[in-house]
Amino acid sequence: IMDYNRALELDPDLAAAYTNRGIAYYKRGNLSQAVADFKQALSRRSTLPDRGNMVEKALPAIEKWTK
């Protein structure tokens, strides 16, 4: 997570860093932070590689768990 934080300090529009950090948060059980990062990644979709579709499909299910 620290590496992704650093990457985002250097390039705050790096969608892949938001996606990967969101996955890391998800694996740690921090679903609300994962959702926040996935939303940031999707808002930067033009720089998001193939994972954009994965994030878009997974986000609604993850958001359910945070409620």
Side-chain angles (χ1 to χ4, degrees):
I1 291 174
M2 289 173 43
D3 290 338
Y4 299 124
N5 291 341
R6 179 68 179 135
L8 290 166
E9 286 175 16
L10 297 172
D11 184 356
D13 290 323
L14 190 59
Y18 283 107
T19 301
N20 291 332
R21 189 175 70 176
I23 292 168
Y25 280 128
Y26 173 81
K27 288 181 178 180
R28 288 182 151 195
N30 188 340
L31 301 182
S32 59
Q33 188 60 51
V35 167
D37 275 357
F38 291 152
K39 287 181 177 180
Q40 288 293 327
L42 288 173
S43 73
R44 291 158 174 82
R45 180 176 292 241
S46 64
T47 63
L48 190 61
D50 297 333
R51 288 189 171 176
N53 290 334
M54 174 198 68
V55 171
E56 188 172 36
K57 290 177 182 176
L59 190 57
I62 295 169
E63 284 180 313
K64 277 188 196 177
W65 296 336
T66 63
K67 294 179 182 176

